[in-house]
Amino acid sequence: MESNQIIYINGREIKFENERNLLEVIRKANIEIPTFCYHSELSVYGACRLCLVEIEGRGLVSSCSIKPEAGMKIKTHTKEIREIRKIALELLLANHDNNCTSCIKSNSCKLQEIAAKLGVDKIRFKSAVKNIPLDFSSEALVRDPNKCILCGDCVRACEEIQGIGAIDFAYRGSDVAVMPAFNKMLSKVECVDCGQCARVCPTGAITPKLQ
């Protein structure tokens, strides 16, 4: 390792090696950064905007999508960053079915976990949940579009781990959604019921079917 492979995180001198991005270096330094759409085995998507950091001379960036460069000076928890994270999380919650007590992932929901850590106990934005019917057609999975936060984890897991591509993004703007091709039921597309999508889903949008 070259001796100059050093960045400065919150004033600390941190060496980096083969990390793919700043987020990995920051976590190696035992600094917690919230994320929904980052998984080390999947490609970088950078959608949730929760992993924002401030790089001196560059401003605010998503730490998951920036490679570490020697000499970088980074701040991870400024007042501005904390407020942006809270707003981003509130927007996600406003587009999410918050009937948490009856959700199968109530005790393991990453959305709940991060909301608690960021101190988000109320939502300042109007709910945009559309009450879309659930898909129970699969023998192994249940899909609840009302709980989807558009992180894309299921899309990338299906394509990159299983090589199937049974689910993807559709439409644009405020109408964007994650769904099987042509909005068909999971049982009507090439889904192989592997459960990789449910494994990476941070909410209850795709869950294993209880037998």
Side-chain angles (χ1 to χ4, degrees), residues 174-185:
S174 61
D175 294 323
V176 68
V178 171
M179 61 181 65
F182 304 105
N183 203 17
K184 293 181 179 180
M185 297 290 192

Side-chain angles (χ1 to χ4, degrees), residues 184-205:
K184 293 181 179 180
M185 297 290 192
L186 276 175
S187 62
K188 302 300 182 181
V189 296
E190 295 182 355
C191 175
V192 295
D193 295 331
C194 68
Q196 292 288 358
C197 54
R199 179 181 69 85
V200 299
C201 178
T203 65

Side-chain angles (χ1 to χ4, degrees), residues 142-160:
V142 176
R143 189 172 72 90
D144 184 351
N146 304 292
K147 294 177 181 176
C148 178
I149 59 172
L150 303 176
C151 66
D153 290 357
C154 60
V155 174
R156 288 175 293 138
C158 187
E159 177 63 34
E160 297 171 15

Side-chain angles (χ1 to χ4, degrees), residues 8-171:
Y8 302 88
I9 304 175
N10 299 331
R12 291 171 54 196
E13 187 177 287
I14 305 295
K15 293 181 179 180
F16 65 94
E17 299 178 82
N18 299 315
E19 288 81 12
R20 292 193 303 169
N21 49 53
L22 284 177
L23 178 61
E24 292 184 357
V25 182
I26 291 167
R27 286 181 168 175
K28 185 177 74 171
N30 293 319
I31 299 172
E32 186 174 359
I33 295 271
T35 62
F36 280 121
C37 65
Y38 183 75
H39 294 267
S40 58
E41 73 270 34
L42 300 178
S43 62
V44 173
Y45 184 49
C48 71
R49 309 298 290 174
L50 291 178
C51 71
L52 285 177
V53 298
E54 181 182 330
I55 302 178
E56 186 176 285
R58 298 191 192 183
L60 299 178
V61 299
S62 296
S63 60
C64 68
S65 59
I66 299 293
K67 292 183 177 180
E69 298 175 14
M72 279 182 167
K73 294 181 179 180
I74 299 157
K75 295 179 180 178
T76 63
H77 288 80
T78 66
K79 182 179 179 180
E80 180 183 12
I81 290 172
R82 293 197 304 270
E83 184 59 28
I84 291 174
R85 284 177 185 155
K86 284 186 177 183
I87 291 172
L89 187 60
E90 286 182 53
L91 287 169
L92 290 174
L93 289 166
N95 286 276
H96 175 77
D97 179 358
N98 294 312
N99 190 10
C100 300
T101 54
S102 61
C103 179
I104 189 175
K105 293 199 71 172
S106 182
N107 294 321
S108 60
C109 175
K110 200 168 182 182
L111 195 61
Q112 283 185 344
E113 176 188 335
I114 294 178
K117 288 181 178 179
L118 296 184
V120 175
D121 55 7
K122 61 181 179 180
I123 305 170
R124 292 170 286 182
F125 305 103
K126 183 179 179 181
S127 174
V129 177
K130 299 178 181 178
N131 295 317
I132 303 169
L134 277 62
D135 178 2
F136 293 99
S137 66
S138 167
E139 293 185 4
L141 302 165
V142 176
R143 189 172 72 90
D144 184 351
N146 304 292
K147 294 177 181 176
C148 178
I149 59 172
L150 303 176
C151 66
D153 290 357
C154 60
V155 174
R156 288 175 293 138
C158 187
E159 177 63 34
E160 297 171 15
I161 296 178
Q162 285 301 111
I164 301 296
I167 195 166
D168 206 342
F169 285 95
Y171 309 119

